Amino acid sequence: MSGPGGWWRRKSTPAKIETYTRWSFHSFAGIEFVSAGAPVFGQVGPRLATLLMSLAAVHSVLCAVTASRALDWLRGGREQPVRTLWTLGAATTVTAVAALLVAAHGPAGENVDGAAGGVFAVVVTFGAGAVAIGVRGRRRVLTSVAGFAAGTLAVAAALGMPVVVALFTTLVVLVGGGFFAFTYLFSGWLLNAVYELDEARETRARLAVAEERLRFGRDLHDVVGRNLTVIALKSELAVQLAQRGRPEAVTQMVEVQRLAHETQKEVRDVVRGYREADLAGELAGAQGVLTAAGIECTVTGPTAGLPAPVQAALGWAVREAATNVLRHGDARRCTVSVRVLAGRVVLTVENDGAPDGGGTGRGSGLVGLRERLAEIGGTLRAGPAGSRMFRLTAEVPLPSDAGHAAAVPAPREANEVAS
């Protein structure tokens, strides 16, 4: 069962920012309704207040729907919401004209003029901003906002509004609409940038894996390619000599056998060098891959002076732990620590990406790692370590002659791989 806020923790960082952006747009609709509708009560009668409040409520809902659909369009999830934009434009015009008619022909009194004028200015300002997010191109956005301001001036002049008031209202619409248009568009641009950065991180992680595969492939090609070419030539020569009954065929096949054994040994050396990289290299590689995947990784502890078998075993543990962090859960932080205690080395890898139900720590990779550690007397513990936390602990005994030397590393060496 997921705890409180589990739905939020399960979201990726771009998805969280998208959710925040959408609800910010919805909050703009609430701000519009409160700004336009709340001051109406107490200033005009119940009938006019209900009319103006209803117009403001409908317009704010249309603004929220338009902003949401326009954001989907900016993200490439749907076609441009042209009909929704025209609907919002028409609703803005109707609401603005209705508010001005109330101000011009409604009951006499300054309160009526102020309430209706406030509804007019707020509705047109938010309408101009919401329409701008569904328009592509800076020039079209500016034209859209300027068009709302020009329409405000034209309607105000047609209804006989004083020149000073009409100009001031037009300026409010121009500045306010431009501000909200910039806010909407900047939020959409920022959301797209976050998604692109997330895709770039994933690409970087995949490139790191591909680069390692290419390196391994190059090593195998360099080692095996030449020997296999010689083996093929000598085999053909041996076949030809054997067909002619020449005794030299045996010599050639002996040479082929020697080359085959030599190639087999060299391949084992390449694979052993790949599998048994030193602990410092594995820690640096794991930190680089996790960071490229957007996971904050911290590495601490000494690695210098440890025996080769211990480094090889712990290197495998680091590689398996990093793979599990990438493949399972949705980690945001990972800490790796190496401690040299009395007679043993302890490696601890902890991350906050465990599933809500916790991991079992019994995957096939961990089973193989336990067997590998058991060969040199080591142990492995893996499992939940609190809310959404997963901890892997590997302990490997130190040889008696290396225990004291490795237990007290130099201060500089103890921080060589610290993040």
Side-chain angles (χ1 to χ4, degrees):
M1 300 253 337
S2 59
W7 68 274
W8 178 259
R9 289 194 299 268
R10 286 192 296 270
K11 288 179 175 289
S12 63
T13 298
K16 289 179 180 178
I17 295 179
E18 181 175 355
T19 302
Y20 168 78
T21 303
R22 289 185 183 278
W23 281 104
S24 297
F25 291 174
H26 295 163
S27 69
F28 287 166
I31 293 172
E32 177 191 357
F33 176 71
V34 173
S35 300
V40 170
F41 283 99
Q43 295 184 355
V44 298
R47 294 180 61 184
L48 283 179
T50 302
L51 172 63
L52 293 175
M53 284 280 290
S54 299
L55 291 174
V58 171
H59 188 269
S60 63
V61 171
L62 281 174
C63 282
V65 172
T66 302
S68 181
R69 292 186 177 182
L71 187 62
D72 290 337
W73 168 63
L74 289 177
R75 289 288 309 128
R78 66 184 305 151
E79 296 181 354
Q80 186 178 15
V82 178
R83 291 184 179 179
T84 306
L85 293 174
W86 279 108
T87 301
L88 177 60
T92 302
T93 302
V94 170
T95 305
V97 171
L100 288 181
L101 288 175
V102 169
H105 304 288
E110 294 183 357
N111 290 339
V112 175
D113 294 341
V119 171
F120 173 85
V122 171
V123 164
V124 177
T125 298
F126 279 87
V131 168
I133 193 176
V135 179
R136 190 182 299 277
R138 183 184 308 174
R139 181 176 300 177
R140 292 183 179 181
V141 171
L142 294 176
T143 302
S144 173
V145 175
F148 273 92
T152 299
L153 181 61
V155 173
L159 294 178
M161 184 179 293
V163 176
V164 176
V165 176
L167 291 176
F168 178 77
T169 305
T170 301
L171 181 62
V172 170
V173 171
L174 183 63
V175 175
F179 171 77
F180 281 106
F182 171 79
T183 303
Y184 278 119
L185 293 173
F186 181 77
S187 299
W189 172 84
L190 184 62
L191 180 60
N192 283 332
V194 169
Y195 271 106
E196 290 175 0
L197 286 175
D198 187 65
E199 292 174 1
R201 284 174 180 159
E202 294 180 359
T203 302
R204 182 179 174 185
R206 288 195 298 267
L207 287 176
V209 175
E211 184 177 356
E212 179 62 18
R213 289 175 178 172
L214 287 174
R215 185 198 66 80
F216 186 63
R218 286 195 304 267
D219 290 346
L220 281 180
H221 178 269
D222 294 341
V223 170
V224 178
R226 178 183 60 82
N227 287 354
L228 288 180
T229 302
V230 177
I231 287 174
L233 292 175
K234 287 185 173 293
S235 298
E236 293 177 1
L237 178 58
V239 170
Q240 294 178 5
L241 292 174
Q243 290 175 346
R244 299 174 185 176
R246 301 283 296 276
E248 290 87 347
V250 177
T251 304
Q252 294 298 326
M253 289 308 299
V254 170
E255 182 66 15
V256 168
Q257 184 181 31
R258 185 191 66 79
L259 286 172
H261 286 301
E262 181 180 344
T263 302
Q264 188 178 21
K265 177 180 178 299
E266 290 179 348
V267 170
R268 278 198 295 264
D269 290 340
V270 171
V271 174
R272 186 180 299 111
Y274 174 73
R275 290 183 175 179
E276 298 181 2
D278 62 341
L279 180 57
E282 290 297 331
L283 289 172
Q287 187 176 29
V289 171
L290 292 177
T291 302
I295 302 173
E296 180 184 348
C297 182
T298 304
V299 180
T300 58
T303 59
L306 296 177
V310 174
Q311 293 207 33
L314 294 181
W316 265 101
V318 170
R319 189 176 297 177
E320 177 65 24
T323 301
N324 288 339
V325 172
L326 289 172
R327 290 182 177 176
H328 308 300
D330 185 21
R332 291 292 173 266
R333 293 181 301 277
C334 179
T335 58
V336 184
S337 64
V338 180
R339 294 175 295 160
V340 181
L341 306 178
R344 69 187 191 278
V345 183
V346 180
L347 170 74
T348 304
V349 182
E350 190 173 274
N351 71 89
D352 61 352
D356 292 330
T360 62
R362 299 179 181 177
S364 58
L366 295 179
V367 172
L369 184 58
R370 283 192 177 92
E371 295 174 353
R372 182 179 293 274
L373 293 176
E375 293 177 357
I376 59 173
T379 59
L380 177 71
R381 298 189 303 275
S387 176
R388 291 187 60 82
M389 299 298 294
F390 190 87
R391 180 183 300 145
L392 180 147
T393 304
E395 293 190 18
V396 178
L398 281 170
S400 57
D401 57 344
H404 179 71
V408 188
R412 182 179 65 84
E413 294 176 346
N415 295 317
E416 280 185 350
V417 296
S419 171

